[in-house]
Amino acid sequence: MENHQKYMDLAIDLAQKGRGQVNPNPLVGAVIVKNDVIIGSGYHEQYGGLHAERQALAACTQSVVGATLYVTLEPCCHYGKTPPCTEAIIENKISRVVIGSTDPNPQVSGRGIEILRQQGITVITGVRETACQEMNAVFFHYIKNRTPYVLMKYAMTLDGKIATRTGKSQWITGAEARAAVHQTRNEYTGIMVGVNTILQDDPLLTCRIEGGRNPSRIICDTHLRTPLTAQVVASARKIPTYLATCSRDQRKIKRFEIMGCKILEVSKAGDHLNLNELMRKLGAAGIDSILLEGGGTLNFSALKSDIVNKFQVYLAPKIFGGAAAKTPVEGLGVELPSEAFQFTDRKIKIFGEDICLEYVKR
């Protein structure tokens, strides 16, 4: 088992290299071993490209007959953008396949394992399963629910403020923490904010790392108050930009469409747009993951609508003070401590003087 874990860890490290390039496909890494020597390895590099198993086979330096394949996710057994990986494994006479996690995709989900076993191939499952599942939390959620996996993120001071009483927020955290956020923007398909963020900060909402991928921008704008001069609107022809709104003002809508924005008409839920309906529409548009960088109002609506899957807070060693200074979650709030929105599985990361606390939905 010790060697199984060692080679699976290498496959996991390889899979991570595909972050930001393969959505809505999963991250997958593969290592081929013969006589306890690695003879080939690969990972799913980009959406539509060769899967990890075929990349590893193509990289082999000698015959793979009788070798063991370590792969982080169950090999596919259906035709998609590429042929089934089970076929390649069988054709190359791999004798054993060690799998990290089964695939929740109904087109696979155990069938890949069954096909391999029917061909006399030894299949071992569940090696480093938790790590393999955590790595593909976005894919697992999206393939099961067809709605985006939502990460709610904000930066705050030690006294729980996300802006001063004048509304200023740049910068709460240091350069290292901000660089980590841009890495997350690179990995997630969409980034979502409320219209108040656009009105106050006029952000561009792009990924500012070399070779990074810009996420699609989603603006929650119930009454369509986004200015036509906003940076997100001015750049909508270059970067996909969605305006989610309850407005039916066709004159306004047409102006945004002329600028290149995509309008998503959503029904109302109370005083705001229906976030559950919006998630279904974004999922149908192929957006598998969203980095929610909203203000206090949108954050509370997202929690109340139960669309948040993961939570990150960057904590900076500063104090703003002020009763009027903005806090990360506003709205009505809960009445009793027992009604609190709860998260679990704590992880702590350090970025310079700042701390990042990460949790998943309980």
Side-chain angles (χ1 to χ4, degrees), residues 15 21 27 34 83 89 102 131 160 222 254 259 281 284 323-324 338 347:
Q21 304 299 321
L27 298 166
K34 192 171 183 179
I89 293 167
T102 54
T222 305
K254 189 65 177 176
M259 296 291 287
K281 291 193 172 188
S338 60
K347 288 183 174 62

Side-chain angles (χ1 to χ4, degrees), residues 103-120:
D103 191 335
N105 186 342
Q107 292 181 295
V108 184
S109 197
R111 289 182 61 236
I113 293 170
E114 183 183 351
I115 288 169
L116 294 175
R117 283 178 172 159
Q118 286 174 350
Q119 294 297 315

Side-chain angles (χ1 to χ4, degrees), residues 87-106:
E87 285 187 3
I89 293 167
I90 294 165
E91 288 168 2
N92 283 275
K93 296 182 170 55
I94 295 284
S95 66
R96 185 172 60 170
V97 178
V98 181
I99 296 170
S101 172
T102 54
D103 191 335
N105 186 342

Side-chain angles (χ1 to χ4, degrees), residues 39-292:
I39 61 172
S41 63
Y43 66 98
H44 187 32
E45 296 180 8
Q46 60 183 11
Y47 179 70
L50 288 177
H51 286 186
E53 298 93 324
R54 290 182 178 271
Q55 290 277 22
L57 287 166
C60 279
T61 56
Q62 58 178 274
S63 170
V64 299
V65 175
T68 297
L69 167 69
Y70 291 85
V71 62
T72 56
L73 188 69
E74 178 182 2
C76 65
C77 55
H78 64 284
Y79 281 86
K81 288 188 175 293
T82 59
C85 289
T86 50
E87 285 187 3
I89 293 167
I90 294 165
E91 288 168 2
N92 283 275
K93 296 182 170 55
I94 295 284
S95 66
R96 185 172 60 170
V97 178
V98 181
I99 296 170
S101 172
T102 54
D103 191 335
N105 186 342
Q107 292 181 295
V108 184
S109 197
R111 289 182 61 236
I113 293 170
E114 183 183 351
I115 288 169
L116 294 175
R117 283 178 172 159
Q118 286 174 350
Q119 294 297 315
I121 297 171
T122 300
V123 179
I124 299 171
T125 61
V127 176
R128 299 286 281 125
E129 183 174 29
T130 299
C132 291
Q133 289 176 341
E134 286 180 354
M135 177 174 65
N136 275 314
V138 166
F139 171 72
F140 282 22
H141 174 86
Y142 184 67
I143 205 73
K144 290 176 183 176
N145 302 285
R146 289 296 168 185
T147 57
Y149 183 94
V150 178
L151 166 60
M152 188 171 89
K153 165 263 159 188
Y154 55 80
M156 71 178 190
T157 59
L158 291 177
D159 56 337
K161 308 297 184 181
I162 62 170
T164 66
R165 60 183 173 80
T166 62
K168 302 299 181 182
S169 61
Q170 295 181 349
W171 296 103
I172 292 175
T173 54
E176 290 182 39
R178 297 200 301 273
V181 171
H182 282 286
Q183 184 60 50
T184 305
R185 288 186 181 186
N186 175 62
E187 295 172 12
Y188 277 60
T189 306
I191 182 170
M192 187 164 82
V193 300
V195 65
N196 286 334
T197 296
I198 301 299
L199 293 171
Q200 292 168 10
D201 301 333
D202 191 22
L204 198 52
L205 302 176
T206 53
C207 172
R208 300 187 187 104
I209 60 175
E210 188 176 350
R213 179 189 65 170
N214 289 320
S216 295
R217 286 98 50 107
I218 302 133
I219 317 304
C220 293
D221 187 355
T222 305
H223 304 293
L224 216 50
R225 294 187 293 137
T226 298
L228 287 169
T229 55
Q231 289 195 88
V232 289
V233 176
S235 58
R237 294 195 181 282
K238 295 180 179 178
I239 305 168
T241 303
Y242 295 85
L243 290 179
T245 184
C246 299
S247 173
R248 300 297 182 263
D249 187 329
Q250 294 305 311
R251 287 181 61 190
K252 274 188 179 181
I253 288 172
K254 189 65 177 176
R255 289 172 187 164
F256 285 110
E257 289 177 335
I258 289 171
M259 296 291 287
C261 296
K262 301 174 184 180
I263 305 297
L264 292 176
E265 295 186 8
V266 183
S267 62
K268 258 192 174 184
D271 295 331
H272 305 290
L273 54 82
N274 188 322
L275 289 176
N276 298 105
E277 181 184 336
L278 175 59
M279 291 303 106
R280 291 191 293 271
K281 291 193 172 188
L282 290 170
I287 294 178
D288 69 341
S289 52
I290 290 173
L291 174 59
L292 173 58

